[in-house]
Amino acid sequence: MTPEDIKKLRQELGCTARELAGALGIEQETVLAWEHGDLFPTKRFVGMMAELRRKGPEAIPRKKKKAAASSPLQLLADPELWRLFRKLLAHPELRSAALKLAETYPEPTDAPSP
């Protein structure tokens, strides 16, 4: 596995070197050394990375971020929001299911201001 392969894997998984290291049970410095070509992963780690690739981004354990009050503009910068939006546009059945689910939630503009 080349340094470029590891960088590509992190890109596919949407994770940092620290998150990949956590998923592999190693130090972040080791992943960075792999990416710089200073070290190369053993067969065991190559297999573990192949399994992570197979499982996809959900296989990477991520720390929950503290729920901060986000402005609408900050929410628009979230790539997951746009990923969801593209899926809603592309799949009418998903849009229909999302609308049905949304009916059970209160309208945010109807909530009293804090």
Side-chain angles (χ1 to χ4, degrees):
M1 183 169 259
T2 68
E4 291 75 25
D5 292 334
I6 295 166
K7 290 175 189 174
K8 184 178 177 187
L9 173 66
R10 282 203 310 109
Q11 186 177 20
E12 288 174 22
L13 297 175
C15 67
T16 64
R18 181 181 308 257
E19 291 169 331
L20 178 58
L24 296 171
I26 59 175
E27 297 294 322
Q28 174 184 0
E29 291 75 21
T30 303
V31 172
L32 294 173
W34 292 345
E35 288 187 359
H36 291 114
D38 297 331
L39 296 173
F40 293 92
T42 63
K43 185 176 181 179
R44 174 177 160 241
F45 288 114
V46 171
M48 291 172 73
M49 287 186 276
E51 183 65 16
L52 289 173
R53 175 176 275 132
R54 188 187 67 73
K55 290 181 179 178
E58 295 77 26
I60 301 295
R62 301 180 198 280
K63 288 186 177 178
K64 302 255 186 216
K65 294 181 180 177
K66 292 181 183 175
S70 297
S71 75
L73 289 178
Q74 288 172 318
L75 293 173
L76 287 174
D78 182 0
E80 284 299 306
L81 175 69
W82 292 103
R83 183 172 169 255
L84 175 62
F85 185 71
R86 287 190 303 272
K87 287 183 177 188
L88 287 168
L89 289 175
H91 304 286
E93 65 280 359
L94 176 60
R95 189 169 47 254
S96 175
L99 286 169
K100 185 177 263 188
L101 178 63
E103 290 173 1
T104 64
Y105 287 81
E107 179 64 40
T109 57
D110 293 344
S113 297

